[in-house]
Amino acid sequence: MITHIAGIIAAIAFLLLVIFIGIFLIRITKTMGEVNRSLGTITDDVDALSHQTEKIMANANELLKDVNGKVATIDPAFQAMGDLGQSVSDLNAATRDLTEKIGKSNEKRHKFSSASKVGKAAFDVYRNRRSKNNSEES
Protein backbone atom coordinates (compact mmCIF):
# COMPACT_ATOMS: atom_id res chain seq x y z
CA MET A 1 0.00 0.00 0.00
CA ILE A 2 2.83 2.39 0.69
CA THR A 3 4.06 1.76 -2.77
CA HIS A 4 0.65 2.60 -4.12
CA ILE A 5 0.60 5.84 -2.14
CA ALA A 6 4.15 6.60 -3.25
CA GLY A 7 3.13 5.85 -6.84
CA ILE A 8 0.06 8.10 -6.53
CA ILE A 9 2.19 10.92 -5.02
CA ALA A 10 4.70 10.48 -7.82
CA ALA A 11 1.91 10.51 -10.39
CA ILE A 12 0.37 13.64 -8.83
CA ALA A 13 3.79 15.31 -8.73
CA PHE A 14 4.36 14.36 -12.36
CA LEU A 15 0.88 15.65 -13.25
CA LEU A 16 1.59 18.97 -11.48
CA LEU A 17 4.92 19.18 -13.28
CA VAL A 18 3.22 18.59 -16.63
CA ILE A 19 0.55 21.19 -15.80
CA PHE A 20 3.15 23.79 -14.80
CA ILE A 21 5.23 23.03 -17.90
CA GLY A 22 2.05 23.33 -19.99
CA ILE A 23 1.18 26.69 -18.42
CA PHE A 24 4.77 27.82 -18.91
CA LEU A 25 4.72 26.76 -22.57
CA ILE A 26 1.37 28.51 -23.14
CA ARG A 27 2.78 31.74 -21.65
CA ILE A 28 5.96 31.42 -23.74
CA THR A 29 3.82 30.88 -26.83
CA LYS A 30 1.80 34.02 -26.05
CA THR A 31 5.01 35.98 -25.42
CA MET A 32 6.57 34.74 -28.65
CA GLY A 33 3.36 35.73 -30.50
CA GLU A 34 3.61 39.25 -29.03
CA VAL A 35 7.32 39.39 -29.94
CA ASN A 36 6.46 38.40 -33.53
CA ARG A 37 3.75 41.08 -33.70
CA SER A 38 6.17 43.64 -32.23
CA LEU A 39 8.86 42.67 -34.74
CA GLY A 40 6.33 43.02 -37.55
CA THR A 41 5.39 46.51 -36.32
CA ILE A 42 9.04 47.46 -35.89
CA THR A 43 9.84 46.18 -39.38
CA ASP A 44 7.02 48.27 -40.84
CA ASP A 45 8.18 51.34 -38.91
CA VAL A 46 11.79 50.82 -40.00
CA ASP A 47 10.67 50.49 -43.62
CA ALA A 48 8.69 53.74 -43.34
CA LEU A 49 11.65 55.48 -41.69
CA SER A 50 13.95 54.13 -44.39
CA HIS A 51 11.76 55.58 -47.15
CA GLN A 52 11.54 58.92 -45.36
CA THR A 53 15.31 58.93 -44.80
CA GLU A 54 15.87 58.29 -48.50
CA LYS A 55 13.62 61.26 -49.34
CA ILE A 56 15.45 63.46 -46.84
CA MET A 57 18.83 62.43 -48.27
CA ALA A 58 17.62 63.16 -51.81
CA ASN A 59 16.40 66.61 -50.69
CA ALA A 60 19.68 67.22 -48.87
CA ASN A 61 21.64 66.31 -52.02
CA GLU A 62 19.52 68.68 -54.11
CA LEU A 63 19.98 71.42 -51.53
CA LEU A 64 23.74 70.83 -51.48
CA LYS A 65 23.89 71.06 -55.30
CA ASP A 66 21.87 74.29 -55.16
CA VAL A 67 24.13 75.79 -52.50
CA ASN A 68 27.25 74.78 -54.43
CA GLY A 69 25.86 76.42 -57.57
CA LYS A 70 25.07 79.62 -55.70
CA VAL A 71 28.48 79.67 -54.04
CA ALA A 72 30.08 79.26 -57.46
CA THR A 73 28.02 82.24 -58.63
CA ILE A 74 29.14 84.34 -55.67
CA ASP A 75 32.84 83.38 -55.91
CA PRO A 76 33.70 86.03 -58.54
CA ALA A 77 32.18 88.72 -56.32
CA PHE A 78 34.37 87.62 -53.42
CA GLN A 79 37.37 87.53 -55.75
CA ALA A 80 36.57 91.07 -56.91
CA MET A 81 36.27 92.20 -53.29
CA GLY A 82 39.63 90.63 -52.54
CA ASP A 83 41.18 92.36 -55.55
CA LEU A 84 39.61 95.66 -54.49
CA GLY A 85 41.02 95.22 -50.99
CA GLN A 86 44.46 94.58 -52.46
CA SER A 87 44.14 97.66 -54.68
CA VAL A 88 43.16 99.81 -51.69
CA SER A 89 46.12 98.42 -49.76
CA ASP A 90 48.45 99.20 -52.67
CA LEU A 91 46.98 102.72 -52.91
CA ASN A 92 47.56 103.25 -49.19
CA ALA A 93 51.17 102.11 -49.54
CA ALA A 94 51.71 104.42 -52.53
CA THR A 95 50.14 107.32 -50.61
CA ARG A 96 52.45 106.70 -47.65
CA ASP A 97 55.48 106.61 -49.97
CA LEU A 98 54.39 109.86 -51.66
CA THR A 99 53.80 111.50 -48.28
CA GLU A 100 57.28 110.47 -47.13
CA LYS A 101 58.84 111.79 -50.35
CA ILE A 102 56.98 115.09 -50.06
CA GLY A 103 58.07 115.36 -46.43
CA LYS A 104 61.72 114.76 -47.40
CA SER A 105 61.39 117.21 -50.29
CA ASN A 106 59.97 119.85 -47.93
CA GLU A 107 62.90 119.28 -45.58
CA LYS A 108 65.33 119.80 -48.49
CA ARG A 109 63.43 122.92 -49.60
CA HIS A 110 63.45 124.23 -46.04
CA LYS A 111 67.22 123.66 -45.85
CA PHE A 112 67.67 125.21 -49.28
CA SER A 113 65.35 128.07 -48.32
CA SER A 114 67.34 128.69 -45.16
CA ALA A 115 70.60 128.52 -47.09
CA SER A 116 69.27 130.91 -49.74
CA LYS A 117 68.09 133.36 -47.05
CA VAL A 118 71.52 133.27 -45.48
CA GLY A 119 73.09 133.70 -48.92
CA LYS A 120 70.75 136.60 -49.75
CA ALA A 121 71.50 138.25 -46.43
CA ALA A 122 75.22 137.83 -47.06
CA PHE A 123 74.83 139.23 -50.58
CA ASP A 124 72.81 142.19 -49.24
CA VAL A 125 75.54 142.88 -46.68
CA TYR A 126 78.17 142.65 -49.41
CA ARG A 127 76.20 144.97 -51.71
CA ASN A 128 75.63 147.47 -48.90
CA ARG A 129 79.35 147.51 -48.12
CA ARG A 130 80.23 147.86 -51.73
CA SER A 131 77.74 150.67 -52.10
CA LYS A 132 79.21 152.40 -49.05
CA ASN A 133 82.73 151.91 -50.34
CA ASN A 134 81.76 153.33 -53.73
CA SER A 135 80.06 156.30 -52.05
CA GLU A 136 83.00 157.06 -49.90
CA GLU A 137 85.35 156.93 -52.84
CA SER A 138 83.37 159.33 -54.85
Side-chain angles (χ1 to χ4, degrees):
M1 171 133 187
I2 290 189
T3 56
H4 287 302
I5 294 177
I8 291 176
I9 291 175
I12 291 173
F14 185 72
L15 179 65
L16 288 175
L17 179 66
V18 169
I19 290 172
F20 284 122
I21 289 175
I23 292 171
F24 178 73
L25 289 176
I26 289 171
R27 287 184 180 172
I28 286 180
T29 304
K30 286 181 183 178
T31 304
M32 292 305 289
E34 289 178 19
V35 167
N36 283 336
R37 282 191 296 271
S38 296
L39 284 177
T41 303
I42 289 172
T43 303
D44 292 341
D45 290 346
V46 168
D47 286 342
L49 286 173
S50 175
H51 292 300
Q52 290 176 357
T53 303
E54 287 176 9
K55 289 178 184 178
I56 289 171
M57 291 301 292
N59 289 340
N61 286 337
E62 288 179 26
L63 181 61
L64 183 61
K65 286 178 186 177
D66 185 43
V67 168
N68 284 338
K70 289 178 180 175
V71 167
T73 302
I74 295 173
D75 276 344
F78 284 115
Q79 183 66 36
M81 283 188 256
D83 293 344
L84 179 63
Q86 183 63 41
S87 297
V88 169
S89 179
D90 292 344
L91 179 63
N92 285 339
T95 303
R96 281 191 210 105
D97 290 344
L98 181 63
T99 303
E100 288 177 14
K101 287 179 183 177
I102 288 173
K104 289 178 182 177
S105 176
N106 283 340
E107 288 176 14
K108 289 179 182 178
R109 281 189 206 142
H110 181 68
K111 289 178 183 177
F112 180 75
S113 174
S114 298
S116 67
K117 287 178 184 176
V118 169
K120 184 177 184 265
F123 183 71
D124 287 342
V125 169
Y126 171 74
R127 195 172 36 174
N128 286 341
R129 284 191 178 174
R130 190 169 179 204
S131 300
K132 281 185 183 181
N133 285 342
N134 284 342
S135 321
E136 288 177 6
E137 291 181 3
S138 321

